[in-house]
Amino acid sequence: MKTLDELNQKMGRGTVRLGVPRQNAAWHLRCAHRTPRWTTQWGELPSAKA
């Protein structure tokens, strides 16, 4: 954290941040609308019961 603080002080506030995604990041919207991974994830297969 000390190094992070020093870099931000030297190069401007918010220049270096932790790897936390922003709320309105462009990839966040794409991720929300992706198709299910039925062909690669067994846990995401739909199941039917009779």
Side-chain angles (χ1 to χ4, degrees):
M1 289 306 290
K2 182 180 176 183
T3 303
L4 220 91
D5 291 338
E6 288 175 4
L7 285 170
N8 281 329
Q9 187 176 29
K10 186 177 185 179
M11 304 181 95
R13 184 177 180 197
T15 302
V16 181
R17 294 181 284 168
L18 294 175
V20 178
R22 291 178 295 173
Q23 188 67 17
N24 296 325
W27 66 266
H28 183 67
L29 296 174
R30 289 191 306 268
C31 180
H33 298 290
R34 67 178 170 81
T35 58
R37 300 173 295 177
W38 294 337
T39 58
T40 58
Q41 298 293 321
W42 286 103
E44 293 184 17
L45 278 171
S47 61
K49 295 182 182 180

